[in-house]
Amino acid sequence: QKSQHDKRKHTKSTIALCLVMLTNSCLQISVFPYSGYMAIHLIPNANEENTGRYAGLIASFYMTGRIFSSFLWGRVADAYGRTFVMIISSALCAIFSILFGLSTSFTSALVFRFLCGVSSGTMGPVKTSVSELSKGNQDLENKTMSLVIGMWGWGFLIFPALSGALAEPV
């Protein structure tokens, strides 16, 4: 009876961790197909010939934000718990992603993209949660880690295609 309960709990937790990783990869990669269009829209006198560097800035500001906050998120997770960090980080990323999408200037787009990166603190807690869920069962940990981290790769496959299709829908 307890074994069945543990199995269900592990499955539900694994699904939740997979969704967190999938969402995290979406935040990072989905901007690539439309960042050039966004730069043209937000920057006066920008055109297809000079928009590459601006598109690169939009894309890179997310990771720049992550550089500054990774260790801090780890400390917050140790102090307040991994679930807390995953919830708060995901909520903040959602807010900053919406604000990024609603940006009316290139500067505000960069600021919100940076803040989304700063808010992205789920990678470490997700990996640690996989280890904790496995309770020392190395085979289970390997399988679960492969599945959860694999969601990151699936996100890199799915979201650029989806956002590219939605960038110019008509």
PDB file of all heavy atoms in Angstrom, residues 62-97:
ATOM      1  N   TYR A  62      18.568  37.500 -21.155  1.00  0.00           N
ATOM      2  CA  TYR A  62      18.008  36.490 -20.250  1.00  0.00           C
ATOM      3  C   TYR A  62      19.136  35.763 -19.509  1.00  0.00           C
ATOM      4  O   TYR A  62      19.119  35.657 -18.284  1.00  0.00           O
ATOM      5  CB  TYR A  62      17.154  35.500 -21.047  1.00  0.00           C
ATOM      6  CG  TYR A  62      16.593  34.371 -20.230  1.00  0.00           C
ATOM      7  CD1 TYR A  62      15.417  34.527 -19.518  1.00  0.00           C
ATOM      8  CD2 TYR A  62      17.242  33.143 -20.170  1.00  0.00           C
ATOM      9  CE1 TYR A  62      14.892  33.489 -18.770  1.00  0.00           C
ATOM     10  CE2 TYR A  62      16.719  32.103 -19.434  1.00  0.00           C
ATOM     11  CZ  TYR A  62      15.554  32.282 -18.728  1.00  0.00           C
ATOM     12  OH  TYR A  62      15.046  31.254 -17.981  1.00  0.00           O
ATOM     13  N   MET A  63      20.111  35.270 -20.265  1.00  0.00           N
ATOM     14  CA  MET A  63      21.213  34.538 -19.638  1.00  0.00           C
ATOM     15  C   MET A  63      22.089  35.455 -18.805  1.00  0.00           C
ATOM     16  O   MET A  63      22.651  35.034 -17.790  1.00  0.00           O
ATOM     17  CB  MET A  63      22.047  33.811 -20.695  1.00  0.00           C
ATOM     18  CG  MET A  63      21.319  32.642 -21.339  1.00  0.00           C
ATOM     19  SD  MET A  63      20.644  31.449 -20.153  1.00  0.00           S
ATOM     20  CE  MET A  63      22.133  30.651 -19.590  1.00  0.00           C
ATOM     21  N   THR A  64      22.203  36.705 -19.201  1.00  0.00           N
ATOM     22  CA  THR A  64      22.949  37.670 -18.397  1.00  0.00           C
ATOM     23  C   THR A  64      22.297  37.804 -17.021  1.00  0.00           C
ATOM     24  O   THR A  64      22.990  37.823 -15.994  1.00  0.00           O
ATOM     25  CB  THR A  64      23.007  39.045 -19.106  1.00  0.00           C
ATOM     26  OG1 THR A  64      23.563  38.864 -20.405  1.00  0.00           O
ATOM     27  CG2 THR A  64      23.833  40.029 -18.318  1.00  0.00           C
ATOM     28  N   GLY A  65      20.989  37.859 -16.989  1.00  0.00           N
ATOM     29  CA  GLY A  65      20.277  37.904 -15.714  1.00  0.00           C
ATOM     30  C   GLY A  65      20.506  36.667 -14.876  1.00  0.00           C
ATOM     31  O   GLY A  65      20.676  36.743 -13.653  1.00  0.00           O
ATOM     32  N   ARG A  66      20.544  35.518 -15.519  1.00  0.00           N
ATOM     33  CA  ARG A  66      20.773  34.265 -14.776  1.00  0.00           C
ATOM     34  C   ARG A  66      22.151  34.225 -14.146  1.00  0.00           C
ATOM     35  O   ARG A  66      22.322  33.679 -13.052  1.00  0.00           O
ATOM     36  CB  ARG A  66      20.582  33.065 -15.695  1.00  0.00           C
ATOM     37  CG  ARG A  66      19.117  32.769 -15.933  1.00  0.00           C
ATOM     38  CD  ARG A  66      18.884  31.519 -16.690  1.00  0.00           C
ATOM     39  NE  ARG A  66      19.352  30.369 -15.929  1.00  0.00           N
ATOM     40  CZ  ARG A  66      19.222  29.117 -16.340  1.00  0.00           C
ATOM     41  NH1 ARG A  66      18.645  28.864 -17.483  1.00  0.00           N
ATOM     42  NH2 ARG A  66      19.674  28.129 -15.621  1.00  0.00           N
ATOM     43  N   ILE A  67      23.131  34.818 -14.828  1.00  0.00           N
ATOM     44  CA  ILE A  67      24.492  34.841 -14.281  1.00  0.00           C
ATOM     45  C   ILE A  67      24.501  35.518 -12.912  1.00  0.00           C
ATOM     46  O   ILE A  67      25.176  35.066 -11.993  1.00  0.00           O
ATOM     47  CB  ILE A  67      25.454  35.572 -15.247  1.00  0.00           C
ATOM     48  CG1 ILE A  67      25.710  34.726 -16.481  1.00  0.00           C
ATOM     49  CG2 ILE A  67      26.764  35.927 -14.558  1.00  0.00           C
ATOM     50  CD1 ILE A  67      26.428  35.470 -17.597  1.00  0.00           C
ATOM     51  N   PHE A  68      23.759  36.596 -12.777  1.00  0.00           N
ATOM     52  CA  PHE A  68      23.780  37.371 -11.550  1.00  0.00           C
ATOM     53  C   PHE A  68      22.953  36.773 -10.410  1.00  0.00           C
ATOM     54  O   PHE A  68      23.098  37.198  -9.264  1.00  0.00           O
ATOM     55  CB  PHE A  68      23.308  38.808 -11.818  1.00  0.00           C
ATOM     56  CG  PHE A  68      24.267  39.601 -12.640  1.00  0.00           C
ATOM     57  CD1 PHE A  68      23.985  39.895 -13.959  1.00  0.00           C
ATOM     58  CD2 PHE A  68      25.469  40.035 -12.104  1.00  0.00           C
ATOM     59  CE1 PHE A  68      24.880  40.621 -14.727  1.00  0.00           C
ATOM     60  CE2 PHE A  68      26.372  40.762 -12.858  1.00  0.00           C
ATOM     61  CZ  PHE A  68      26.074  41.053 -14.181  1.00  0.00           C
ATOM     62  N   SER A  69      22.094  35.819 -10.706  1.00  0.00           N
ATOM     63  CA  SER A  69      21.188  35.349  -9.655  1.00  0.00           C
ATOM     64  C   SER A  69      21.296  33.862  -9.316  1.00  0.00           C
ATOM     65  O   SER A  69      20.666  33.425  -8.362  1.00  0.00           O
ATOM     66  CB  SER A  69      19.744  35.647 -10.065  1.00  0.00           C
ATOM     67  OG  SER A  69      19.393  34.892 -11.206  1.00  0.00           O
ATOM     68  N   SER A  70      22.060  33.103 -10.036  1.00  0.00           N
ATOM     69  CA  SER A  70      22.079  31.647  -9.829  1.00  0.00           C
ATOM     70  C   SER A  70      22.438  31.256  -8.399  1.00  0.00           C
ATOM     71  O   SER A  70      21.745  30.439  -7.779  1.00  0.00           O
ATOM     72  CB  SER A  70      23.052  30.990 -10.799  1.00  0.00           C
ATOM     73  OG  SER A  70      22.604  31.143 -12.113  1.00  0.00           O
ATOM     74  N   PHE A  71      23.502  31.805  -7.870  1.00  0.00           N
ATOM     75  CA  PHE A  71      23.917  31.432  -6.518  1.00  0.00           C
ATOM     76  C   PHE A  71      22.923  31.932  -5.471  1.00  0.00           C
ATOM     77  O   PHE A  71      22.660  31.253  -4.477  1.00  0.00           O
ATOM     78  CB  PHE A  71      25.324  31.957  -6.219  1.00  0.00           C
ATOM     79  CG  PHE A  71      26.384  31.250  -7.016  1.00  0.00           C
ATOM     80  CD1 PHE A  71      27.059  31.916  -8.027  1.00  0.00           C
ATOM     81  CD2 PHE A  71      26.690  29.923  -6.772  1.00  0.00           C
ATOM     82  CE1 PHE A  71      28.020  31.260  -8.776  1.00  0.00           C
ATOM     83  CE2 PHE A  71      27.648  29.260  -7.509  1.00  0.00           C
ATOM     84  CZ  PHE A  71      28.316  29.927  -8.521  1.00  0.00           C
ATOM     85  N   LEU A  72      22.345  33.085  -5.712  1.00  0.00           N
ATOM     86  CA  LEU A  72      21.349  33.623  -4.788  1.00  0.00           C
ATOM     87  C   LEU A  72      20.136  32.698  -4.708  1.00  0.00           C
ATOM     88  O   LEU A  72      19.631  32.416  -3.616  1.00  0.00           O
ATOM     89  CB  LEU A  72      20.916  35.020  -5.226  1.00  0.00           C
ATOM     90  CG  LEU A  72      19.797  35.655  -4.402  1.00  0.00           C
ATOM     91  CD1 LEU A  72      20.241  35.859  -2.962  1.00  0.00           C
ATOM     92  CD2 LEU A  72      19.377  36.967  -5.023  1.00  0.00           C
ATOM     93  N   TRP A  73      19.653  32.213  -5.864  1.00  0.00           N
ATOM     94  CA  TRP A  73      18.509  31.296  -5.860  1.00  0.00           C
ATOM     95  C   TRP A  73      18.839  30.011  -5.108  1.00  0.00           C
ATOM     96  O   TRP A  73      17.977  29.439  -4.430  1.00  0.00           O
ATOM     97  CB  TRP A  73      18.041  30.984  -7.278  1.00  0.00           C
ATOM     98  CG  TRP A  73      17.187  32.064  -7.864  1.00  0.00           C
ATOM     99  CD1 TRP A  73      17.481  32.851  -8.929  1.00  0.00           C
ATOM    100  CD2 TRP A  73      15.896  32.482  -7.422  1.00  0.00           C
ATOM    101  NE1 TRP A  73      16.462  33.735  -9.178  1.00  0.00           N
ATOM    102  CE2 TRP A  73      15.472  33.526  -8.264  1.00  0.00           C
ATOM    103  CE3 TRP A  73      15.057  32.072  -6.393  1.00  0.00           C
ATOM    104  CZ2 TRP A  73      14.258  34.172  -8.112  1.00  0.00           C
ATOM    105  CZ3 TRP A  73      13.834  32.707  -6.240  1.00  0.00           C
ATOM    106  CH2 TRP A  73      13.445  33.742  -7.090  1.00  0.00           C
ATOM    107  N   GLY A  74      20.070  29.551  -5.213  1.00  0.00           N
ATOM    108  CA  GLY A  74      20.478  28.366  -4.462  1.00  0.00           C
ATOM    109  C   GLY A  74      20.406  28.591  -2.961  1.00  0.00           C
ATOM    110  O   GLY A  74      19.932  27.734  -2.206  1.00  0.00           O
ATOM    111  N   ARG A  75      20.845  29.751  -2.534  1.00  0.00           N
ATOM    112  CA  ARG A  75      20.775  30.088  -1.106  1.00  0.00           C
ATOM    113  C   ARG A  75      19.329  30.230  -0.633  1.00  0.00           C
ATOM    114  O   ARG A  75      18.975  29.795   0.458  1.00  0.00           O
ATOM    115  CB  ARG A  75      21.549  31.364  -0.826  1.00  0.00           C
ATOM    116  CG  ARG A  75      23.041  31.172  -0.914  1.00  0.00           C
ATOM    117  CD  ARG A  75      23.778  32.419  -0.522  1.00  0.00           C
ATOM    118  NE  ARG A  75      25.211  32.174  -0.619  1.00  0.00           N
ATOM    119  CZ  ARG A  75      26.109  33.106  -0.506  1.00  0.00           C
ATOM    120  NH1 ARG A  75      25.741  34.364  -0.306  1.00  0.00           N
ATOM    121  NH2 ARG A  75      27.390  32.807  -0.607  1.00  0.00           N
ATOM    122  N   VAL A  76      18.500  30.841  -1.460  1.00  0.00           N
ATOM    123  CA  VAL A  76      17.079  30.984  -1.107  1.00  0.00           C
ATOM    124  C   VAL A  76      16.431  29.605  -1.006  1.00  0.00           C
ATOM    125  O   VAL A  76      15.638  29.335  -0.095  1.00  0.00           O
ATOM    126  CB  VAL A  76      16.334  31.885  -2.128  1.00  0.00           C
ATOM    127  CG1 VAL A  76      14.832  31.876  -1.888  1.00  0.00           C
ATOM    128  CG2 VAL A  76      16.878  33.308  -2.077  1.00  0.00           C
ATOM    129  N   ALA A  77      16.788  28.711  -1.921  1.00  0.00           N
ATOM    130  CA  ALA A  77      16.234  27.348  -1.885  1.00  0.00           C
ATOM    131  C   ALA A  77      16.659  26.614  -0.621  1.00  0.00           C
ATOM    132  O   ALA A  77      15.864  25.886  -0.016  1.00  0.00           O
ATOM    133  CB  ALA A  77      16.666  26.572  -3.124  1.00  0.00           C
ATOM    134  N   ASP A  78      17.909  26.813  -0.208  1.00  0.00           N
ATOM    135  CA  ASP A  78      18.372  26.173   1.029  1.00  0.00           C
ATOM    136  C   ASP A  78      17.657  26.737   2.251  1.00  0.00           C
ATOM    137  O   ASP A  78      17.372  26.018   3.195  1.00  0.00           O
ATOM    138  CB  ASP A  78      19.887  26.360   1.182  1.00  0.00           C
ATOM    139  CG  ASP A  78      20.682  25.531   0.182  1.00  0.00           C
ATOM    140  OD1 ASP A  78      20.111  24.564  -0.380  1.00  0.00           O
ATOM    141  OD2 ASP A  78      21.864  25.857  -0.042  1.00  0.00           O
ATOM    142  N   ALA A  79      17.363  28.028   2.216  1.00  0.00           N
ATOM    143  CA  ALA A  79      16.739  28.671   3.375  1.00  0.00           C
ATOM    144  C   ALA A  79      15.228  28.450   3.435  1.00  0.00           C
ATOM    145  O   ALA A  79      14.669  28.232   4.513  1.00  0.00           O
ATOM    146  CB  ALA A  79      17.039  30.171   3.361  1.00  0.00           C
ATOM    147  N   TYR A  80      14.542  28.506   2.281  1.00  0.00           N
ATOM    148  CA  TYR A  80      13.081  28.483   2.276  1.00  0.00           C
ATOM    149  C   TYR A  80      12.474  27.255   1.597  1.00  0.00           C
ATOM    150  O   TYR A  80      11.264  27.094   1.613  1.00  0.00           O
ATOM    151  CB  TYR A  80      12.534  29.747   1.599  1.00  0.00           C
ATOM    152  CG  TYR A  80      12.931  31.004   2.337  1.00  0.00           C
ATOM    153  CD1 TYR A  80      13.968  31.794   1.870  1.00  0.00           C
ATOM    154  CD2 TYR A  80      12.274  31.378   3.501  1.00  0.00           C
ATOM    155  CE1 TYR A  80      14.344  32.949   2.553  1.00  0.00           C
ATOM    156  CE2 TYR A  80      12.643  32.525   4.192  1.00  0.00           C
ATOM    157  CZ  TYR A  80      13.686  33.304   3.705  1.00  0.00           C
ATOM    158  OH  TYR A  80      14.051  34.433   4.379  1.00  0.00           O
ATOM    159  N   GLY A  81      13.301  26.458   0.963  1.00  0.00           N
ATOM    160  CA  GLY A  81      12.813  25.246   0.324  1.00  0.00           C
ATOM    161  C   GLY A  81      12.773  25.339  -1.187  1.00  0.00           C
ATOM    162  O   GLY A  81      12.602  26.416  -1.757  1.00  0.00           O
ATOM    163  N   ARG A  82      12.965  24.200  -1.813  1.00  0.00           N
ATOM    164  CA  ARG A  82      13.012  24.137  -3.271  1.00  0.00           C
ATOM    165  C   ARG A  82      11.653  24.412  -3.912  1.00  0.00           C
ATOM    166  O   ARG A  82      11.559  25.086  -4.934  1.00  0.00           O
ATOM    167  CB  ARG A  82      13.568  22.788  -3.710  1.00  0.00           C
ATOM    168  CG  ARG A  82      15.074  22.755  -3.599  1.00  0.00           C
ATOM    169  CD  ARG A  82      15.644  21.381  -3.639  1.00  0.00           C
ATOM    170  NE  ARG A  82      15.837  20.731  -2.359  1.00  0.00           N
ATOM    171  CZ  ARG A  82      16.603  21.186  -1.363  1.00  0.00           C
ATOM    172  NH1 ARG A  82      17.210  22.326  -1.477  1.00  0.00           N
ATOM    173  NH2 ARG A  82      16.749  20.516  -0.258  1.00  0.00           N
ATOM    174  N   THR A  83      10.597  23.906  -3.307  1.00  0.00           N
ATOM    175  CA  THR A  83       9.260  24.136  -3.856  1.00  0.00           C
ATOM    176  C   THR A  83       8.929  25.624  -3.844  1.00  0.00           C
ATOM    177  O   THR A  83       8.402  26.157  -4.828  1.00  0.00           O
ATOM    178  CB  THR A  83       8.207  23.348  -3.053  1.00  0.00           C
ATOM    179  OG1 THR A  83       8.550  21.964  -3.094  1.00  0.00           O
ATOM    180  CG2 THR A  83       6.822  23.540  -3.635  1.00  0.00           C
ATOM    181  N   PHE A  84       9.263  26.291  -2.769  1.00  0.00           N
ATOM    182  CA  PHE A  84       9.043  27.733  -2.677  1.00  0.00           C
ATOM    183  C   PHE A  84       9.757  28.455  -3.818  1.00  0.00           C
ATOM    184  O   PHE A  84       9.167  29.299  -4.494  1.00  0.00           O
ATOM    185  CB  PHE A  84       9.546  28.249  -1.318  1.00  0.00           C
ATOM    186  CG  PHE A  84       9.522  29.742  -1.191  1.00  0.00           C
ATOM    187  CD1 PHE A  84       8.336  30.413  -0.915  1.00  0.00           C
ATOM    188  CD2 PHE A  84      10.686  30.484  -1.343  1.00  0.00           C
ATOM    189  CE1 PHE A  84       8.319  31.798  -0.799  1.00  0.00           C
ATOM    190  CE2 PHE A  84      10.676  31.868  -1.234  1.00  0.00           C
ATOM    191  CZ  PHE A  84       9.492  32.528  -0.956  1.00  0.00           C
ATOM    192  N   VAL A  85      11.011  28.113  -4.050  1.00  0.00           N
ATOM    193  CA  VAL A  85      11.785  28.767  -5.109  1.00  0.00           C
ATOM    194  C   VAL A  85      11.181  28.477  -6.476  1.00  0.00           C
ATOM    195  O   VAL A  85      11.067  29.377  -7.314  1.00  0.00           O
ATOM    196  CB  VAL A  85      13.274  28.349  -5.049  1.00  0.00           C
ATOM    197  CG1 VAL A  85      14.009  28.741  -6.322  1.00  0.00           C
ATOM    198  CG2 VAL A  85      13.944  28.974  -3.846  1.00  0.00           C
ATOM    199  N   MET A  86      10.779  27.238  -6.721  1.00  0.00           N
ATOM    200  CA  MET A  86      10.199  26.907  -8.027  1.00  0.00           C
ATOM    201  C   MET A  86       8.897  27.676  -8.268  1.00  0.00           C
ATOM    202  O   MET A  86       8.654  28.142  -9.380  1.00  0.00           O
ATOM    203  CB  MET A  86       9.987  25.403  -8.150  1.00  0.00           C
ATOM    204  CG  MET A  86      11.283  24.636  -8.365  1.00  0.00           C
ATOM    205  SD  MET A  86      11.028  22.882  -8.660  1.00  0.00           S
ATOM    206  CE  MET A  86      11.197  22.238  -7.017  1.00  0.00           C
ATOM    207  N   ILE A  87       8.074  27.836  -7.252  1.00  0.00           N
ATOM    208  CA  ILE A  87       6.812  28.564  -7.399  1.00  0.00           C
ATOM    209  C   ILE A  87       7.070  30.056  -7.600  1.00  0.00           C
ATOM    210  O   ILE A  87       6.541  30.670  -8.536  1.00  0.00           O
ATOM    211  CB  ILE A  87       5.890  28.309  -6.189  1.00  0.00           C
ATOM    212  CG1 ILE A  87       5.403  26.861  -6.198  1.00  0.00           C
ATOM    213  CG2 ILE A  87       4.706  29.274  -6.186  1.00  0.00           C
ATOM    214  CD1 ILE A  87       4.703  26.422  -4.936  1.00  0.00           C
ATOM    215  N   ILE A  88       7.872  30.650  -6.726  1.00  0.00           N
ATOM    216  CA  ILE A  88       8.149  32.094  -6.815  1.00  0.00           C
ATOM    217  C   ILE A  88       8.878  32.420  -8.115  1.00  0.00           C
ATOM    218  O   ILE A  88       8.534  33.377  -8.818  1.00  0.00           O
ATOM    219  CB  ILE A  88       8.971  32.568  -5.588  1.00  0.00           C
ATOM    220  CG1 ILE A  88       8.146  32.432  -4.317  1.00  0.00           C
ATOM    221  CG2 ILE A  88       9.471  33.996  -5.777  1.00  0.00           C
ATOM    222  CD1 ILE A  88       6.866  33.236  -4.303  1.00  0.00           C
ATOM    223  N   SER A  89       9.877  31.626  -8.449  1.00  0.00           N
ATOM    224  CA  SER A  89      10.643  31.855  -9.672  1.00  0.00           C
ATOM    225  C   SER A  89       9.751  31.756 -10.903  1.00  0.00           C
ATOM    226  O   SER A  89       9.809  32.611 -11.797  1.00  0.00           O
ATOM    227  CB  SER A  89      11.784  30.846  -9.770  1.00  0.00           C
ATOM    228  OG  SER A  89      12.476  30.987 -10.975  1.00  0.00           O
ATOM    229  N   SER A  90       8.909  30.755 -10.952  1.00  0.00           N
ATOM    230  CA  SER A  90       8.005  30.588 -12.100  1.00  0.00           C
ATOM    231  C   SER A  90       7.015  31.740 -12.198  1.00  0.00           C
ATOM    232  O   SER A  90       6.741  32.245 -13.297  1.00  0.00           O
ATOM    233  CB  SER A  90       7.258  29.260 -11.996  1.00  0.00           C
ATOM    234  OG  SER A  90       8.167  28.182 -12.071  1.00  0.00           O
ATOM    235  N   ALA A  91       6.489  32.180 -11.060  1.00  0.00           N
ATOM    236  CA  ALA A  91       5.537  33.299 -11.070  1.00  0.00           C
ATOM    237  C   ALA A  91       6.214  34.593 -11.532  1.00  0.00           C
ATOM    238  O   ALA A  91       5.663  35.332 -12.363  1.00  0.00           O
ATOM    239  CB  ALA A  91       4.933  33.482  -9.683  1.00  0.00           C
ATOM    240  N   LEU A  92       7.396  34.865 -11.005  1.00  0.00           N
ATOM    241  CA  LEU A  92       8.121  36.074 -11.417  1.00  0.00           C
ATOM    242  C   LEU A  92       8.475  36.026 -12.903  1.00  0.00           C
ATOM    243  O   LEU A  92       8.351  37.034 -13.606  1.00  0.00           O
ATOM    244  CB  LEU A  92       9.383  36.254 -10.573  1.00  0.00           C
ATOM    245  CG  LEU A  92       9.171  36.690  -9.128  1.00  0.00           C
ATOM    246  CD1 LEU A  92      10.478  36.634  -8.349  1.00  0.00           C
ATOM    247  CD2 LEU A  92       8.561  38.080  -9.069  1.00  0.00           C
ATOM    248  N   CYS A  93       8.907  34.868 -13.369  1.00  0.00           N
ATOM    249  CA  CYS A  93       9.229  34.724 -14.794  1.00  0.00           C
ATOM    250  C   CYS A  93       7.993  34.965 -15.658  1.00  0.00           C
ATOM    251  O   CYS A  93       8.090  35.593 -16.719  1.00  0.00           O
ATOM    252  CB  CYS A  93       9.820  33.350 -15.077  1.00  0.00           C
ATOM    253  SG  CYS A  93      11.535  33.188 -14.573  1.00  0.00           S
ATOM    254  N   ALA A  94       6.848  34.479 -15.215  1.00  0.00           N
ATOM    255  CA  ALA A  94       5.613  34.699 -15.971  1.00  0.00           C
ATOM    256  C   ALA A  94       5.295  36.190 -16.051  1.00  0.00           C
ATOM    257  O   ALA A  94       4.973  36.711 -17.124  1.00  0.00           O
ATOM    258  CB  ALA A  94       4.456  33.940 -15.330  1.00  0.00           C
ATOM    259  N   ILE A  95       5.422  36.874 -14.930  1.00  0.00           N
ATOM    260  CA  ILE A  95       5.132  38.312 -14.899  1.00  0.00           C
ATOM    261  C   ILE A  95       6.090  39.072 -15.815  1.00  0.00           C
ATOM    262  O   ILE A  95       5.663  39.889 -16.641  1.00  0.00           O
ATOM    263  CB  ILE A  95       5.208  38.848 -13.454  1.00  0.00           C
ATOM    264  CG1 ILE A  95       4.048  38.297 -12.633  1.00  0.00           C
ATOM    265  CG2 ILE A  95       5.216  40.385 -13.437  1.00  0.00           C
ATOM    266  CD1 ILE A  95       4.209  38.480 -11.132  1.00  0.00           C
ATOM    267  N   PHE A  96       7.386  38.801 -15.687  1.00  0.00           N
ATOM    268  CA  PHE A  96       8.364  39.529 -16.495  1.00  0.00           C
ATOM    269  C   PHE A  96       8.285  39.157 -17.973  1.00  0.00           C
ATOM    270  O   PHE A  96       8.562  39.990 -18.840  1.00  0.00           O
ATOM    271  CB  PHE A  96       9.782  39.341 -15.946  1.00  0.00           C
ATOM    272  CG  PHE A  96      10.002  40.039 -14.631  1.00  0.00           C
ATOM    273  CD1 PHE A  96      10.525  39.356 -13.551  1.00  0.00           C
ATOM    274  CD2 PHE A  96       9.669  41.374 -14.470  1.00  0.00           C
ATOM    275  CE1 PHE A  96      10.725  39.994 -12.336  1.00  0.00           C
ATOM    276  CE2 PHE A  96       9.853  42.028 -13.249  1.00  0.00           C
ATOM    277  CZ  PHE A  96      10.386  41.331 -12.182  1.00  0.00           C
ATOM    278  N   SER A  97       7.869  37.941 -18.270  1.00  0.00           N
ATOM    279  CA  SER A  97       7.683  37.553 -19.676  1.00  0.00           C
ATOM    280  C   SER A  97       6.524  38.308 -20.302  1.00  0.00           C
ATOM    281  O   SER A  97       6.603  38.749 -21.454  1.00  0.00           O
ATOM    282  CB  SER A  97       7.433  36.050 -19.790  1.00  0.00           C
ATOM    283  OG  SER A  97       8.592  35.342 -19.482  1.00  0.00           O
TER     284      SER A  97
END
